[in-house]
């Protein structure tokens, strides 16, 4: 891989339940805050939803985006746009040849709000009332399209759709675009706006969601014996990836390096992971190989860890299987305990948190773990952040999705 | 319920403001949707769809190209609701 360019991170942006930007998000994560709250919407009672809480954006998009622009975007695109603008500004708003810039913005579900609202319109009022931009708003690649337009990214605009692995897959795709010479700079990330009664009803029927309605902030409890499902979250995170040579030539500030990606599929079931964890382990091992490091180099993992009874155990076992005894020396954080599960945004937000962890040598805490699963084969960071070793370090972000999609990314010090 | 020309103008101005962010007082009868207000064809279709609902009229798609100015739209809607 010596002939491939190194890929570095030169910009970060996000809007999510912990904060409307990167600094508030990182401060919230290190403080162990929860962004999960009771839903204020009338539809919770109207549809008799069994789950009444979620991680909603800390800063509503209407506080940030002009109204005419919002009208043309599904919330999933609004969130992506907010994150992408912050990331691009953070990268210094570089003036570059657009044909060397790519945009890869993932989504798990796409424009569900637009789709369902438009269906109400056609059913209740007829076809003449359907607005012309309905399809461009509901299509899952809409956030990528808007971001590419915003930044002038002409090297390609792409949308991985791999459920809860989507956001990490976008970063893996961006890495490949730069490594293969298709672009010098890629704006990559994921978004989701599924805090909507339909996905909530569906996930609840699957018994995938926590029903701890009386304690929203305490509901997401990865690896805790009393975990009862994941907590839905919404938001987006975007990173600016750049070839190291390009970044250094323009004097860009470098956060960290995206050193490698590993991807695999369980080929097992459309919902739960393969209980053997074989697919997940393979993704982890492939990521390390792809980055040219070994398990012994890792000091931190941001785990997928949704707080479902089945999923967390499989992941912990997969980490152990891939890292062996070295797993005892790797600080594992499960930040969904604070943000909820951003579905298509999750892998991007957790990659962003992994990048900051590497930069600051701080592993964020996992909250709500009062009683860790007995015999947990990983070293979970609980309640307060933990210092990571000084010097050059490497970390991993895991993202796994319904359908058996597995993505692992290696982030190292620049 | 029939709306007066003034009410139609004010209603259109609100729709245009929602869709484009243009100030409502910029939406005057002599203004051209494309040349003065910078409204593209997709936005125009959105405005027409919202106007149909607001004023409870039908504006046939083939008619939209004849609605060059805001005043044209006001006149058409006024007649259509009569």
């Amino acid at each position: 891989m010596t002939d491939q360019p190194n890929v570095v991170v030169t910009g970060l942006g996000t809007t999510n339940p912990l904060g409307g930007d990167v600094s508030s998000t990182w401060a919230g994560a290190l403080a162990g805050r929860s962004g999960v709250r009771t839903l204020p919407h009338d539809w919770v009672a109207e549809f008799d939803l069994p789950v009444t809480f979620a991680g909603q954006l800390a800063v509503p998009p209407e506080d940030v985006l002009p109204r005419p622009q919002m009208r043309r975007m599904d919330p999933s695109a609004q969130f992506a746009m907010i994150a992408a603008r912050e990331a691009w500004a953070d990268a210094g708003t570089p003036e570059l040849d657009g044909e060397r810039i790519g945009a890869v913005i993932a989504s798990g579900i796409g424009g569900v709000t637009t789709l369902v609202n438009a269906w109400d319109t056609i059913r209740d009022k007829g076809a003449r009332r359907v607005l012309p931009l309905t399809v461009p708003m509901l299509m899952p690649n809409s956030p990528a399209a808007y971001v590419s337009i915003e930044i002038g990214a002409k090297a390609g605009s792409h949308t991985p759709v791999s459920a809860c692995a989507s956001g990490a897959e976008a970063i893996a795709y961006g890495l490949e675009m730069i490594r293969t010479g298709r672009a010098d700079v890629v704006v990559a990330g994921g978004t989701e706006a599924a805090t909507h009664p339909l996905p909530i009803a569906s996930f609840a029927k699957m018994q995938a969601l926590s029903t701890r309605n009386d304690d929203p902030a305490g509901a997401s409890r990865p690896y805790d014996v009393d975990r009862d499902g994941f907590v839905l979250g919404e938001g987006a995170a975007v990173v600016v990836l750049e070839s190291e040579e390009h970044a250094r030539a323009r004097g860009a500030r470098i956060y960290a390096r995206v050193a490698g990606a590993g991807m695999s599929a369980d080929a097992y079931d459309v919902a739960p992971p393969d209980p053997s964890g074989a697919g997940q382990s393979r993704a982890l091992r492939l990521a390390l190989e792809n980055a040219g490091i070994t398990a012994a180099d890792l000091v931190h993992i941001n785990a997928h860890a949704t707080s479902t009874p089945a999923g967390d155990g499989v992941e912990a076992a997969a980490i152990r299987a891939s890292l062996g005894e070295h797993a005892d020396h790797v600080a594992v954080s499960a930040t969904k305990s604070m943000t909820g599960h951003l579905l298509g945004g999750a892998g991007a937000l957790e990659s962003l948190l992994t990048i900051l962890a590497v930069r600051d040598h701080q592993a964020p805490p996992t909250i709500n773990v009062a009683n860790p699963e007995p015999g947990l084969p990983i070293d979970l960071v609980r309640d307060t952040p933990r210092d990571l070793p000084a010097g050059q370090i490497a970390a991993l972000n895991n993202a796994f999705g319904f359908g058996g999609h597995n993505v692992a990314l290696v982030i190292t010090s620049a | 319920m029939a709306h007066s020309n003034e009410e139609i103008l004010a209603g259109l101005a609100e729709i245009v403001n929602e869709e484009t962010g243009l100030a409502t007082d910029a939406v005057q009868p002599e203004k051209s949707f494309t040349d003065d207000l910078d409204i593209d064809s997709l936005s125009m279709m959105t405005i027409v769809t919202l106007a149909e609902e607001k004023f409870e009229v039908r504006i046939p798609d083939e008619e939209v190209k004849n609605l060059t100015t805001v005043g044209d739209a006001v006149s058409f809607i006024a007649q259509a609701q009569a």
Side-chain angles (χ1 to χ4, degrees):
Chain A
M1 280 185 296
T2 47
D3 54 342
Q4 287 187 324
N6 289 322
V7 175
V8 296
V9 181
T10 57
L12 301 174
T14 184
T15 184
N16 66 75
L18 274 183
D21 57 19
V22 172
S23 62
S24 57
T25 299
W26 188 227
L30 291 179
R33 274 201 297 116
S34 173
V36 179
R37 288 177 296 279
T38 298
L39 287 161
H41 310 83
D42 294 339
W43 44 251
V44 174
E46 184 185 351
F47 298 122
D48 193 21
L49 291 176
V51 174
T52 62
F53 60 98
Q56 300 151 85
L57 288 195
V59 178
E62 52 267 33
D63 291 3
V64 188
L65 288 177
R67 186 163 168 74
Q69 199 163 41
M70 288 187 63
R71 285 176 55 83
R72 297 180 151 245
M73 296 182 196
D74 181 81
S76 60
Q78 296 167 10
F79 304 169
M81 186 66 109
I82 292 166
R85 280 187 180 158
E86 185 189 8
W88 195 241
D90 189 45
T93 319
E95 299 216 353
L96 305 170
D97 174 5
E99 294 185 5
R100 301 295 302 157
I101 307 174
V104 188
I105 307 293
S107 169
I109 295 182
V112 63
T113 302
T114 299
L115 175 63
V116 174
N117 289 350
W119 177 254
D120 287 347
T121 299
I122 192 169
R123 186 193 54 205
D124 298 342
K125 300 174 183 171
R128 289 196 66 77
R129 295 287 182 271
V130 174
L131 294 174
L133 282 172
T134 300
V135 168
M137 284 172 67
L138 69 85
M139 60 194 194
N141 60 310
S142 178
Y146 272 111
V147 168
S148 78
I149 294 163
E150 172 78 6
I151 288 162
K154 300 177 183 172
S157 170
H158 307 282
T159 304
V161 178
S162 47
C164 309
S166 305
E169 191 170 319
I171 295 171
Y173 196 106
L175 173 70
E176 286 307 305
M177 279 184 86
I178 295 172
R179 280 180 170 174
T180 55
R182 279 187 60 202
D184 297 319
V185 179
V186 178
V187 181
T191 187
E192 202 74 75
T195 313
H196 179 284
L198 190 65
I200 292 175
S202 169
F203 286 130
K205 272 283 188 201
M206 295 177 85
Q207 299 188 302
L209 289 181
S210 169
T211 55
R212 203 177 288 266
N213 292 326
D214 55 351
D215 181 20
S220 182
R221 37 183 62 226
Y223 305 113
D224 188 273
V225 289
D226 295 322
R227 68 187 181 271
D228 68 334
F230 77 81
V231 172
L232 189 65
E234 64 181 16
V238 169
V239 303
V240 178
L241 305 176
E242 193 163 351
S243 78
E244 182 165 10
E245 186 183 8
H246 193 272
R248 295 211 185 275
R250 72 179 183 90
R253 178 255 334 271
I254 294 173
Y255 283 101
R257 186 185 307 262
V258 179
M263 286 186 267
S264 72
D266 280 358
Y268 173 79
D269 192 280
V270 79
D274 177 353
S276 78
Q280 296 184 6
S281 295
R282 198 162 67 255
L284 268 64
R285 286 198 309 273
L286 289 170
L288 296 174
E289 253 177 63
N290 190 248
I293 66 171
T294 67
D297 297 316
L298 280 183
V299 299
H300 171 55
I301 294 177
N302 191 311
H304 185 64
T306 62
S307 123
T308 58
D312 292 3
V314 175
E315 181 176 16
I319 290 171
R320 191 76 194 184
S322 318
L323 271 52
E325 296 291 303
H326 183 68
D328 292 337
H329 309 291
V330 176
V332 177
S333 303
T335 50
K336 285 186 183 77
S337 58
M338 298 176 279
T339 64
H341 186 355
L342 271 56
L343 309 179
L349 178 57
E350 287 143 30
S351 293
L352 184 150
L353 294 171
T354 310
I355 289 160
L356 292 169
V358 166
R359 181 195 67 174
D360 291 354
H361 297 262
Q362 288 263 291
T366 308
I367 64 170
N368 302 329
V369 188
N371 300 298
E373 186 81 9
L376 193 65
I378 55 172
D379 180 11
L380 191 62
V381 180
R382 291 168 59 190
D383 301 327
T384 53
R386 188 187 301 175
D387 288 340
L388 296 171
Q392 186 80 20
I393 56 172
L396 194 72
N397 174 229
N398 284 343
F400 309 129
F402 280 172
H405 307 274
N406 306 308
V407 179
L409 296 172
V410 173
I411 310 292
T412 64
S413 308
Chain B
M1 191 191 82
H3 301 265
S4 69
N5 282 18
E6 289 72 27
E7 286 169 344
I8 296 170
L9 178 64
L12 273 178
E14 275 175 30
I15 292 171
V16 171
N17 169 261
E18 279 269 306
E19 176 65 12
T20 67
L22 272 173
T24 49
D25 58 8
V27 183
Q28 295 297 331
E30 71 280 8
K31 298 287 184 187
S32 154
F33 284 109
T34 49
D35 298 343
D36 297 323
L37 304 181
D38 214 17
I39 290 170
D40 64 21
S41 59
L42 271 173
S43 283
M44 188 66 190
M45 285 311 298
T46 302
I47 290 164
V48 164
T49 306
L50 296 172
E52 281 193 334
E53 179 156 18
K54 189 169 195 127
F55 303 113
E56 297 171 304
V57 295
R58 187 178 174 96
I59 307 173
D61 292 351
E62 59 273 17
E63 190 61 41
V64 174
K65 64 178 184 303
N66 300 325
L67 307 179
T68 308
T69 65
V70 173
D72 296 339
V74 172
S75 303
F76 186 90
I77 292 166
Q79 284 197 351
Q81 68 179 359

